[in-house]
């Protein structure tokens, strides 16, 4: 008989018995002691006992003769081995965390990576078929716990036990050298203290005033701020009120001179006035 012909009896039996037993409490068939209920893995031929990793939705219960019960365990669903040599290291050049591990035959499997930050909830990050991964966007100073689980691509095998590793991120991704920072502060303070001060050649501002007889009292400070700006407002003892003789010497020579005034020759106009007198 063809497969279609074999299905004809149950196609007749189901609607017929549903109609005849409608509204009637029908007792189930009495199971003889020669048969027993056994849990087996669905779809296994011959029937196999489920393994501890067989999903619950893949387990069914069937009747078997007590002398012909299945005894072998199905190998369809097995637990995968965990990864080996899992290591994590912070990469200062890229400011990221590099994870790596080893595994045997990687055909038909993938690696699922999850992470917990500072003891928080473990969250899935990514899935890869490689045996290494780079974790970016690292929080400075955070403590990371990574878990790598081996999973089957066809869901026929249970996931492995997770392998974990701890990685501590540095407190700051741009750490400053304390000595350099302290030197920088000292230099900044020195810059503030010396603001406005220049070398003697630039800040020789003579403050000395030479009164009468052209004697400029040049004052030169120890800090190089030689001040020798002698102002001669003497009358040169000529009793000439028009001749002020205000010879101003800025005394800004770079050698920090004492600011002694040298009498300048009278101007041509002043000489004529003196001759007339």
């Amino acid at each position: 008989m063809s497969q279609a012909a074999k299905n004809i009896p149950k196609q007749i039996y189901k609607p017929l018995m549903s109609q005849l037993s409608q509204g009637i409490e029908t007792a189930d068939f009495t199971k003889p002691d020669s048969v027993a209920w056994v849990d087996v893995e669905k779809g296994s031929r011959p029937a196999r006992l489920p393994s501890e990793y067989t999903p619950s939705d893949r387990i069914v219960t069937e009747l078997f003769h007590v002398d012909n019960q299945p005894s072998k365990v199905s190998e369809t669903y097995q637990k995968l081995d965990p990864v080996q040599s899992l290591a994590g290291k912070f990469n200062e050049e890229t400011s990221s965390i590099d994870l790596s591990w080893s595994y045997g035959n990687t055909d038909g499997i993938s690696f699922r990576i999850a992470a917990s930050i500072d003891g928080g909830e473990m969250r899935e990050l990514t899935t890869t078929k490689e045996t290494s991964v780079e974790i970016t966007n690292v929080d400075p100073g955070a403590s990371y716990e990574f878990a790598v689980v081996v999973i089957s691509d066809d869901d026929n095998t249970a996931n492995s036990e997770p392998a974990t590793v701890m990685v501590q991120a540095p407190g700051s991704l741009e750490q400053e050298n304390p000595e350099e920072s302290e030197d920088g502060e000292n230099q900044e303070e020195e810059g503030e203290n010396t603001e406005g001060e220049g070398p003697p050649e630039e800040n020789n501002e003579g403050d000395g005033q030479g009164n009468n007889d052209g004697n400029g009292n040049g004052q030169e400070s120890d800090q190089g701020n030689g001040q020798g700006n002698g102002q001669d407002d003497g009358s040169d003892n000529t009793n000439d009120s028009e001749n002020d003789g205000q010879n101003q010497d800025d005394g800004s020579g770079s050698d920090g001179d004492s600011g002694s005034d040298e009498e300048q020759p009278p101007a041509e106009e002043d000489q004529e006035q003196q001759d007339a007198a």
Side-chain angles (χ1 to χ4, degrees), residues 61-257:
T61 305
E62 296 182 0
L63 285 168
F64 292 88
H65 193 277
V66 293
D67 295 334
N68 193 31
Q69 298 181 54
S71 58
K72 294 183 178 181
V73 177
S74 173
E75 297 180 356
T76 302
Y77 298 95
Q78 296 292 328
K79 193 166 189 175
L80 295 169
D81 295 329
V83 301
Q84 302 295 323
S85 304
L86 176 62
K89 182 180 180 181
F90 181 79
N91 191 326
E92 296 182 356
E93 295 182 357
T94 60
S95 298
S96 60
I97 295 177
D98 296 330
L99 295 179
S100 62
W101 57 91
S102 60
Y103 202 76
N105 186 6
T106 59
D107 294 339
I109 64 169
S110 298
F111 304 99
R112 180 184 298 157
I113 295 90
S116 170
I117 303 177
D118 294 331
E121 181 182 358
M122 188 71 70
R123 297 180 179 274
E124 181 178 345
L125 298 181
T126 185
T127 300
T128 179
K129 298 187 74 67
E130 304 295 330
T131 56
S132 63
V133 67
E134 180 184 19
I135 308 299
T136 58
N137 299 325
V138 177
D139 295 338
S143 178
Y144 285 83
E145 180 182 9
F146 295 98
V148 180
V149 176
V150 185
I151 60 176
S152 174
D153 293 342
D154 56 10
D155 294 331
N156 286 338
T157 308
N159 298 340
S160 72
E161 293 292 336
T164 61
V165 65
M166 297 291 298
V167 179
Q168 178 66 47
S172 175
L173 297 184
E174 296 181 357
Q175 293 181 337
E176 296 182 355
N177 188 330
E179 296 181 357
E180 294 180 357
S181 178
E182 184 177 355
D183 292 342
E185 294 177 357
N186 294 336
Q187 293 177 0
E188 182 177 356
E189 292 178 358
E190 293 177 359
E192 293 177 355
N193 294 334
T194 60
E195 183 176 359
E197 296 183 1
E201 291 81 5
E202 296 178 0
N203 292 328
N204 275 338
E205 297 179 356
D207 294 336
Q209 295 180 353
N211 294 326
N212 297 324
D213 299 331
N215 293 326
N217 295 326
Q219 296 179 355
E220 180 179 355
S221 67
D222 292 338
Q223 295 181 354
N225 295 326
Q227 299 174 346
N229 188 14
Q231 295 180 351
D232 184 4
D233 52 3
S235 60
D236 291 335
N237 296 322
T238 61
N239 295 324
D240 187 359
S241 60
E242 294 181 358
N243 183 13
D244 294 336
Q246 296 178 351
N247 298 322
Q248 296 181 353
D249 183 3
D250 60 6
S252 61
S254 61
D255 56 354
D257 292 339

Side-chain angles (χ1 to χ4, degrees), residues 40-42 50-60 74 76-78 154-158:
V40 295
E41 191 172 278
K42 184 178 180 179
S51 69
E52 58 178 317
Y53 309 115
T54 302
S56 58
D57 60 347
R58 302 296 301 174
I59 300 176
V60 295
S74 173
T76 302
Y77 298 95
Q78 296 292 328
D154 56 10
D155 294 331
N156 286 338
T157 308

